[in-house]
PDB file of all heavy atoms in Angstrom:
ATOM      1  N   GLU W 174      18.969 -17.757  13.064  1.00 83.00           N
ATOM      2  CA  GLU W 174      18.545 -17.931  11.710  1.00 83.00           C
ATOM      3  C   GLU W 174      17.014 -17.583  11.647  1.00 83.00           C
ATOM      4  O   GLU W 174      16.676 -16.838  10.677  1.00 83.00           O
ATOM      5  CB  GLU W 174      18.776 -19.377  11.274  1.00 83.00           C
ATOM      6  CG  GLU W 174      20.182 -19.817  11.122  1.00 83.00           C
ATOM      7  CD  GLU W 174      20.272 -21.251  10.666  1.00 83.00           C
ATOM      8  OE1 GLU W 174      19.221 -21.800  10.371  1.00 83.00           O
ATOM      9  OE2 GLU W 174      21.476 -21.683  10.603  1.00 83.00           O
ATOM     10  N   ILE W 175      16.360 -17.992  12.593  1.00 80.00           N
ATOM     11  CA  ILE W 175      14.815 -17.621  12.631  1.00 80.00           C
ATOM     12  C   ILE W 175      14.737 -16.070  12.689  1.00 80.00           C
ATOM     13  O   ILE W 175      13.843 -15.525  11.997  1.00 80.00           O
ATOM     14  CB  ILE W 175      14.069 -18.292  13.763  1.00 80.00           C
ATOM     15  CG1 ILE W 175      14.071 -19.802  13.568  1.00 80.00           C
ATOM     16  CG2 ILE W 175      12.733 -17.719  14.039  1.00 80.00           C
ATOM     17  CD1 ILE W 175      13.411 -20.552  14.631  1.00 80.00           C
ATOM     18  N   LEU W 176      15.390 -15.443  13.639  1.00 85.00           N
ATOM     19  CA  LEU W 176      15.248 -14.008  13.788  1.00 85.00           C
ATOM     20  C   LEU W 176      15.793 -13.184  12.579  1.00 85.00           C
ATOM     21  O   LEU W 176      14.971 -12.291  12.081  1.00 85.00           O
ATOM     22  CB  LEU W 176      16.026 -13.532  14.942  1.00 85.00           C
ATOM     23  CG  LEU W 176      15.713 -14.046  16.329  1.00 85.00           C
ATOM     24  CD1 LEU W 176      16.683 -13.612  17.356  1.00 85.00           C
ATOM     25  CD2 LEU W 176      14.272 -13.409  16.697  1.00 85.00           C
ATOM     26  N   THR W 177      16.779 -13.718  11.908  1.00 85.00           N
ATOM     27  CA  THR W 177      17.186 -13.177  10.627  1.00 85.00           C
ATOM     28  C   THR W 177      16.101 -13.303   9.569  1.00 85.00           C
ATOM     29  O   THR W 177      15.830 -12.468   8.751  1.00 85.00           O
ATOM     30  CB  THR W 177      18.521 -13.783  10.200  1.00 85.00           C
ATOM     31  OG1 THR W 177      19.494 -13.639  11.263  1.00 85.00           O
ATOM     32  CG2 THR W 177      19.010 -13.150   8.965  1.00 85.00           C
ATOM     33  N   LYS W 178      15.539 -14.502   9.473  1.00 79.00           N
ATOM     34  CA  LYS W 178      14.449 -14.699   8.491  1.00 79.00           C
ATOM     35  C   LYS W 178      13.326 -13.784   8.827  1.00 79.00           C
ATOM     36  O   LYS W 178      12.724 -13.239   7.739  1.00 79.00           O
ATOM     37  CB  LYS W 178      13.999 -16.203   8.515  1.00 79.00           C
ATOM     38  CG  LYS W 178      12.964 -16.543   7.602  1.00 79.00           C
ATOM     39  CD  LYS W 178      12.576 -17.994   7.744  1.00 79.00           C
ATOM     40  CE  LYS W 178      13.676 -18.846   7.308  1.00 79.00           C
ATOM     41  NZ  LYS W 178      13.983 -18.933   5.811  1.00 79.00           N
ATOM     42  N   GLN W 179      12.887 -13.617  10.003  1.00 79.00           N
ATOM     43  CA  GLN W 179      11.779 -12.797  10.335  1.00 79.00           C
ATOM     44  C   GLN W 179      12.054 -11.299   9.911  1.00 79.00           C
ATOM     45  O   GLN W 179      11.270 -10.627   9.355  1.00 79.00           O
ATOM     46  CB  GLN W 179      11.534 -12.893  11.884  1.00 79.00           C
ATOM     47  CG  GLN W 179      10.823 -14.228  12.304  1.00 79.00           C
ATOM     48  CD  GLN W 179      10.630 -14.276  13.777  1.00 79.00           C
ATOM     49  OE1 GLN W 179      11.124 -13.431  14.554  1.00 79.00           O
ATOM     50  NE2 GLN W 179       9.891 -15.275  14.205  1.00 79.00           N
ATOM     51  N   SER W 180      13.305 -10.939  10.208  1.00 85.00           N
ATOM     52  CA  SER W 180      13.794  -9.532   9.814  1.00 85.00           C
ATOM     53  C   SER W 180      13.711  -9.396   8.301  1.00 85.00           C
ATOM     54  O   SER W 180      13.238  -8.310   7.829  1.00 85.00           O
ATOM     55  CB  SER W 180      15.091  -9.317  10.349  1.00 85.00           C
ATOM     56  OG  SER W 180      15.524  -7.996   9.903  1.00 85.00           O
ATOM     57  N   ASN W 181      14.088 -10.494   7.634  1.00 82.00           N
ATOM     58  CA  ASN W 181      14.071 -10.301   6.131  1.00 82.00           C
ATOM     59  C   ASN W 181      12.705 -10.228   5.549  1.00 82.00           C
ATOM     60  O   ASN W 181      12.370  -9.488   4.616  1.00 82.00           O
ATOM     61  CB  ASN W 181      14.925 -11.503   5.465  1.00 82.00           C
ATOM     62  CG  ASN W 181      16.335 -11.511   5.689  1.00 82.00           C
ATOM     63  OD1 ASN W 181      16.968 -10.399   5.992  1.00 82.00           O
ATOM     64  ND2 ASN W 181      17.014 -12.599   5.756  1.00 82.00           N
ATOM     65  N   ILE W 182      11.820 -11.055   6.081  1.00 78.00           N
ATOM     66  CA  ILE W 182      10.402 -11.167   5.627  1.00 78.00           C
ATOM     67  C   ILE W 182       9.780  -9.766   5.995  1.00 78.00           C
ATOM     68  O   ILE W 182       9.009  -9.116   5.118  1.00 78.00           O
ATOM     69  CB  ILE W 182       9.636 -12.218   6.394  1.00 78.00           C
ATOM     70  CG1 ILE W 182      10.111 -13.543   5.814  1.00 78.00           C
ATOM     71  CG2 ILE W 182       8.189 -12.044   6.110  1.00 78.00           C
ATOM     72  CD1 ILE W 182       9.603 -14.737   6.511  1.00 78.00           C
ATOM     73  N   ARG W 183       9.993  -9.219   7.118  1.00 81.00           N
ATOM     74  CA  ARG W 183       9.444  -7.961   7.545  1.00 81.00           C
ATOM     75  C   ARG W 183       9.979  -6.811   6.557  1.00 81.00           C
ATOM     76  O   ARG W 183       9.188  -5.959   6.124  1.00 81.00           O
ATOM     77  CB  ARG W 183       9.860  -7.612   9.042  1.00 81.00           C
ATOM     78  CG  ARG W 183       9.319  -6.215   9.400  1.00 81.00           C
ATOM     79  CD  ARG W 183       9.779  -5.895  10.907  1.00 81.00           C
ATOM     80  NE  ARG W 183       9.278  -6.924  11.816  1.00 81.00           N
ATOM     81  CZ  ARG W 183       9.483  -6.853  13.093  1.00 81.00           C
ATOM     82  NH1 ARG W 183      10.219  -5.864  13.624  1.00 81.00           N
ATOM     83  NH2 ARG W 183       8.920  -7.739  14.002  1.00 81.00           N
ATOM     84  N   SER W 184      11.180  -6.831   6.169  1.00 84.00           N
ATOM     85  CA  SER W 184      11.728  -5.785   5.336  1.00 84.00           C
ATOM     86  C   SER W 184      11.201  -6.030   3.916  1.00 84.00           C
ATOM     87  O   SER W 184      10.926  -4.982   3.300  1.00 84.00           O
ATOM     88  CB  SER W 184      13.335  -6.101   5.230  1.00 84.00           C
ATOM     89  OG  SER W 184      13.923  -5.871   6.437  1.00 84.00           O
ATOM     90  N   LYS W 185      10.975  -7.191   3.478  1.00 79.00           N
ATOM     91  CA  LYS W 185      10.249  -7.371   2.188  1.00 79.00           C
ATOM     92  C   LYS W 185       8.946  -6.861   2.096  1.00 79.00           C
ATOM     93  O   LYS W 185       8.445  -6.111   1.221  1.00 79.00           O
ATOM     94  CB  LYS W 185      10.249  -8.840   1.790  1.00 79.00           C
ATOM     95  CG  LYS W 185      11.598  -9.488   1.533  1.00 79.00           C
ATOM     96  CD  LYS W 185      11.460 -10.921   1.125  1.00 79.00           C
ATOM     97  CE  LYS W 185      12.848 -11.503   0.978  1.00 79.00           C
ATOM     98  NZ  LYS W 185      12.837 -13.081   0.722  1.00 79.00           N
ATOM     99  N   VAL W 186       8.164  -7.144   3.171  1.00 77.00           N
ATOM    100  CA  VAL W 186       6.692  -6.805   3.245  1.00 77.00           C
ATOM    101  C   VAL W 186       6.631  -5.085   3.347  1.00 77.00           C
ATOM    102  O   VAL W 186       5.846  -4.426   2.590  1.00 77.00           O
ATOM    103  CB  VAL W 186       5.939  -7.362   4.338  1.00 77.00           C
ATOM    104  CG1 VAL W 186       4.565  -6.752   4.525  1.00 77.00           C
ATOM    105  CG2 VAL W 186       5.837  -8.827   4.228  1.00 77.00           C
ATOM    106  N   ILE W 187       7.482  -4.653   4.253  1.00 82.00           N
ATOM    107  CA  ILE W 187       7.579  -3.114   4.477  1.00 82.00           C
ATOM    108  C   ILE W 187       7.966  -2.445   3.143  1.00 82.00           C
ATOM    109  O   ILE W 187       7.424  -1.412   2.735  1.00 82.00           O
ATOM    110  CB  ILE W 187       8.507  -2.836   5.623  1.00 82.00           C
ATOM    111  CG1 ILE W 187       7.763  -3.298   6.889  1.00 82.00           C
ATOM    112  CG2 ILE W 187       8.741  -1.184   5.696  1.00 82.00           C
ATOM    113  CD1 ILE W 187       8.649  -3.008   8.009  1.00 82.00           C
TER     114      ILE W 187
END
Side-chain angles (χ1 to χ4, degrees):
E174 291 180 6
I175 291 176
L176 295 174
T177 303
K178 182 181 292 293
Q179 290 177 348
S180 178
N181 292 337
I182 293 172
R183 180 182 296 181
S184 299
K185 290 176 183 177
V186 175
I187 292 176

